Amino acid sequence: MIDTGEENFTFRAMRRAAKSLPEETCLGILERGQRGVLSVLGDGGYPYGLPINYVFKDGKIYFHGALVGHKMDAISRCDKASFCVIDTPVKKNGNWWYTTQSVICFGRIRKVEDKSVSHEALLSLARKFFPSEDIVQKEMLSEAGAAILCFEIEHMTGKWVHEK
């Protein structure tokens, strides 16, 4: 793996700390969110960000994807990543602007090798997105060749914004 950081690295403090969200709010956004942007170190050192479905389970973020491709190549080169989720914007009565909240997680991502952990994560993903248990079971059978990725959060910040 390429180590792209310093040995004694410390994450930055949020510049606009007055807009920061408490950890419980950040966790709630991760739990109810459905899609976020996963960013990894892509080809040629360029950032590679991709919108992706996920499930937040046991303090970790799980993704589903193909066994090969740009994302998997990037992760095999460098396991550091970030993941951003934007909560549903809200327009308060009388305002023309939206208020929204977002969470950015920094951490390490890896392919899940343990079959039982992989199966449980895939089952959680399926139950989150599919409309019935019948469809969950049918899709589980067809996804035997899929990769499950686990993102372990090392640092997380949340922010609220008035888009005015």
Side-chain angles (χ1 to χ4, degrees):
M1 294 247 167
I2 298 171
D3 185 2
T4 57
E6 302 167 16
E7 251 182 68
N8 297 316
F9 180 77
T10 302
F11 288 97
R12 291 178 188 227
M14 210 168 105
R15 189 176 59 82
R16 299 187 71 191
K19 293 185 176 264
S20 68
L21 298 174
E23 182 177 354
E24 305 80 47
T25 303
C26 293
L27 296 175
I29 292 168
L30 289 176
E31 286 174 9
R32 71 178 164 266
Q34 295 191 356
R35 207 158 171 82
V37 177
L38 175 65
S39 296
V40 294
L41 184 62
D43 293 346
Y46 285 95
Y48 177 55
L50 61 147
I52 190 168
N53 293 336
Y54 73 96
V55 66
F56 182 66
K57 179 179 169 63
D58 301 325
K60 298 175 181 156
I61 303 167
Y62 291 92
F63 309 98
H64 161 274
L67 291 168
V68 296
H70 193 164
K71 174 178 63 207
M72 296 303 285
D73 290 345
I75 291 166
S76 70
R77 282 192 303 265
C78 179
D79 67 344
K80 292 180 180 177
S82 69
F83 185 64
C84 177
V85 176
I86 300 172
D87 207 8
T88 305
V90 175
K91 189 185 288 187
K92 295 181 180 180
N93 284 340
N95 293 345
W96 56 264
W97 63 87
Y98 286 92
T99 299
T100 192
Q101 300 176 34
S102 62
V103 175
I104 299 177
C105 300
F106 297 89
R108 308 273 178 156
I109 189 167
R110 63 178 169 75
K111 182 179 175 213
V112 176
E113 300 294 346
D114 182 308
K115 297 288 184 199
S116 65
V117 173
S118 179
H119 177 78
E120 285 302 313
L122 186 57
L123 195 55
S124 293
L125 276 159
R127 287 186 172 140
K128 181 175 181 179
F129 292 102
F130 297 145
S132 71
E133 190 64 25
D134 290 343
I135 295 173
V136 166
Q137 294 307 320
K138 179 182 171 194
E139 291 297 319
M140 289 292 288
L141 294 174
S142 68
E143 294 294 330
I148 296 295
L149 301 170
C150 176
F151 183 102
E152 295 194 41
I153 300 168
E154 295 179 342
H155 181 71
M156 174 176 66
T157 61
K159 182 177 181 180
W160 65 269
V161 176
H162 292 297
E163 297 177 338
K164 176 177 154 182

